[in-house]
Amino acid sequence: MIKIVPQVKSIKENDLQINFDEIILQGDLSEFAKKDLQSFITDKTEYYCSNKGYIIEFKILSDDHCKEWYSIDAQVNGMTVCACTEEGIFRAVTTLKQILSQPLCGFTLEDEPKNSFRGFMLDVGRYFYSVADVKTIIDYAALYKFNYFHWHLTEDQGWRFESHKYPKLTEIGSHRSHTNFGIKKESGFYTKYELKEIVQYCHERFIKVIPEIDMPGHTMSALACYPELSCFNRKLKVSTHWGIKFDIMCAGKDFTYTFCKDILDELCEIFTDEYIHIGGDEALKKRWELCENCNKKLKELGLDNMEQLQLYFANYLAEHLSTNGKQTIVWYNKFDEKDKIVPNKDIILQFWGTKKDVEFANVVKSGRRVVTSNSSGYYIDLPYGYITLADSYNTQGVTGIEDTKTIFGYETCLWTEYVKNLKKAKFNMFPRVFAISEIFWSGESNKDYQKFLQKLEFEKQFIRKFDVKVPRKGIYNPNGIRKFFSKLWFEKRQLVWQGLYLTIDNYLVKSKVKRSKKKKILRRGK
């Protein structure tokens, strides 16, 4: 049996045994795809490329198949690869890499994705990844047919996007003094040249890039540079601990809206694809509730609460992005369609919750475009004690939605609070990326976990060609005892979320605001 991950749409094998040593690549193959495949054949298989031998011919057809469709016909005297676009040819190349890594027989194969949006997210805000490491992760994503790279560029703990208009963001915001209770400094950012380099690298592999600048929360790295972005102009530092922070961008100041628009304009100059992500999750409103400017804005807009004010904030930025020809993605926050304000219909909502979120299922059913990153299976930063390989394969994108055509896209997320380098990233990615890529490409309705397991040993050996050693089965599908201790070890994260510090700090801010209000009342009385 020919083993391929993600599973192809259809394949028929025959008894023809195909033997050769040399391969000729010819036909409608782009220069990049040709070099990529030649390099793989030369470096990672028993074959080599020459001017004679077994012919693999590539053909781009004038047909009405989808842009990622391709077919492969392998006979004794040669192989024919057909597609309608260069993108389809490239997807075929990734399949050929697996085919040429196992014994060959004759076969015919046809393939195309069930889902047109298959995303891989990398967070570089918590820990900075070098350009070379980012490219390596993109290579893995391309190998398993992901076609969107969601790049989470800013966090409380680090600002990684170079801004010429606001240079302090990288002069100050890209550095933190230590991480949690450690002493080691963490720093780094990408220049505009490097950002463009990554965009080009993705485009060569037919991956579109979705940059994310998180707003209004997860912005301590920006507030440390420009205190006037915050509600009370406080002198803050780039966060050194994980967890949700109380200080976020002020939604009542004109400067905040100007700053955000300026940053997004700079972002649009570099990232030429259609989507921009503006974050939006975990934005606690403790400062807004105390802030004179936010309360004034709320009253001016005639809104009921601060959650609605955040929706106004998101809609405002989405409308601005639309003038740049961009579509906006935000992390899903619960809302009621009956509220005074709801997300604009053209905003794409990204779901990060669990399979139990019935409210989100209703959002999907309403016809809004949604991307599911169900954290029960697709959050690969979590240890295997939380999300096993079986969980990643069997998790439903959105519980209660059987017709997955209503889901706009799927995405797996690699957050990096506890994934500080490429070595740990590879450990967390594989073998879960095998499973997730199959669900995203082949579709939830075609799941077959037992059939997937039959391909797993081959995939483990195949990915070793790319410097990845998959952990043993007892780690990625742990038993009850290992699960328990894995969770127990991971839950030490609660110790670094600064709950006590934030509570005390919030009390001091409240006290200061109360004193300020009393002084104003006394002045009026005089």
Side-chain angles (χ1 to χ4, degrees), residues 161-313:
F161 171 74
E162 182 184 37
S163 167
H164 290 167
K165 192 157 190 176
Y166 299 95
K168 289 181 183 178
L169 290 170
T170 48
E171 291 171 4
I172 298 171
S174 66
H175 310 277
R176 66 175 181 265
S177 59
H178 62 281
T179 302
N180 300 329
F181 300 107
I183 58 172
K184 187 178 179 181
K185 295 179 179 179
E186 174 70 18
S187 64
F189 69 92
Y190 306 99
T191 65
K192 290 197 171 185
Y193 176 83
E194 290 171 328
L195 294 165
K196 289 177 181 178
E197 183 182 344
I198 291 294
V199 170
Q200 182 182 351
Y201 195 84
C202 285
H203 287 176
E204 288 173 338
R205 291 153 182 78
F206 294 94
I207 294 174
K208 293 184 176 182
V209 187
I210 305 170
E212 180 181 354
I213 303 292
D214 215 336
M215 305 169 177
H218 290 282
T219 50
M220 288 284 285
S221 59
L223 305 186
C225 305
Y226 298 96
E228 59 269 38
L229 276 173
S230 65
C231 287
F232 301 107
N233 294 3
R234 303 173 73 208
K235 291 184 178 180
L236 300 166
K237 294 182 179 180
V238 177
S239 292
T240 56
H241 288 63
W242 311 139
I244 304 170
K245 310 305 176 188
F246 291 175
D247 287 285
I248 65 175
M249 291 178 174
C250 179
K253 292 181 179 178
D254 291 341
F255 175 67
T256 300
Y257 294 87
T258 299
F259 172 89
C260 291
K261 287 192 296 183
D262 287 342
I263 290 296
L264 292 175
D265 287 345
E266 286 192 84
L267 204 69
C268 291
E269 291 173 5
I270 294 167
F271 295 95
T272 55
D273 296 316
E274 64 265 44
Y275 302 118
I276 299 289
H277 206 304
I278 59 171
D281 68 324
E282 299 179 332
L284 299 181
K285 310 303 186 299
K286 291 185 180 291
R287 297 291 183 262
W288 287 11
E289 289 162 359
L290 299 171
C291 176
E292 184 178 334
N293 293 309
C294 288
N295 279 284
K296 182 180 178 183
K297 191 77 170 178
L298 189 75
K299 189 175 180 180
E300 286 176 0
L301 297 170
L303 302 177
D304 295 331
N305 54 56
M306 294 301 176
E307 296 301 329
Q308 291 181 15
L309 182 58
Q310 185 179 344
L311 289 175
Y312 166 81
F313 178 86

Side-chain angles (χ1 to χ4, degrees), residues 33 108 165 169 238 282-283 302 314 329 347 372 444 483 498:
T108 56
K165 192 157 190 176
L169 290 170
V238 177
E282 299 179 332
I329 306 177
I347 290 179
T372 176
E444 291 192 60
K483 266 190 174 186
Q498 293 185 303

Side-chain angles (χ1 to χ4, degrees), residues 110-134:
E110 186 175 5
D111 198 16
E112 63 183 349
K114 279 281 187 178
N115 305 301
S116 60
F117 185 114
R118 307 176 304 279
F120 187 101
M121 192 220 77
L122 175 65
D123 162 25
V124 293
R126 271 57 177 251
Y127 280 102
F128 177 75
Y129 279 52
S130 69
V131 169
D133 288 348
V134 172

Side-chain angles (χ1 to χ4, degrees), residues 48-209:
Y48 59 95
C49 293
S50 67
N51 294 322
K52 61 180 181 179
Y54 189 77
I55 297 174
I56 302 179
E57 184 170 9
F58 295 83
K59 295 180 179 179
I60 294 182
L61 310 175
S62 297
D63 212 328
D64 58 356
H65 289 290
C66 83
K67 64 180 180 179
E68 294 184 276
W69 172 88
Y70 66 92
S71 68
I72 303 175
D73 182 16
Q75 303 296 330
V76 173
N77 59 344
M79 189 182 297
T80 304
V81 180
C82 296
C84 302
T85 64
E86 287 188 3
E87 185 171 355
I89 292 289
F90 186 79
R91 302 294 177 230
V93 165
T94 62
T95 297
L96 279 173
K97 289 177 180 178
Q98 294 189 45
I99 289 172
L100 294 173
S101 298
Q102 52 194 300
L104 269 182
C105 64
F107 68 89
T108 56
L109 174 159
E110 186 175 5
D111 198 16
E112 63 183 349
K114 279 281 187 178
N115 305 301
S116 60
F117 185 114
R118 307 176 304 279
F120 187 101
M121 192 220 77
L122 175 65
D123 162 25
V124 293
R126 271 57 177 251
Y127 280 102
F128 177 75
Y129 279 52
S130 69
V131 169
D133 288 348
V134 172
K135 286 180 177 180
T136 297
I137 289 173
I138 291 166
D139 285 338
Y140 296 143
L143 193 61
Y144 287 93
K145 299 184 174 68
F146 290 86
N147 64 344
Y148 284 91
F149 177 56
H150 175 179
W151 205 4
H152 187 83
L153 288 165
T154 63
E155 260 303 334
D156 290 312
Q157 296 81 17
W159 186 282
R160 312 302 180 194
F161 171 74
E162 182 184 37
S163 167
H164 290 167
K165 192 157 190 176
Y166 299 95
K168 289 181 183 178
L169 290 170
T170 48
E171 291 171 4
I172 298 171
S174 66
H175 310 277
R176 66 175 181 265
S177 59
H178 62 281
T179 302
N180 300 329
F181 300 107
I183 58 172
K184 187 178 179 181
K185 295 179 179 179
E186 174 70 18
S187 64
F189 69 92
Y190 306 99
T191 65
K192 290 197 171 185
Y193 176 83
E194 290 171 328
L195 294 165
K196 289 177 181 178
E197 183 182 344
I198 291 294
V199 170
Q200 182 182 351
Y201 195 84
C202 285
H203 287 176
E204 288 173 338
R205 291 153 182 78
F206 294 94
I207 294 174
K208 293 184 176 182
V209 187

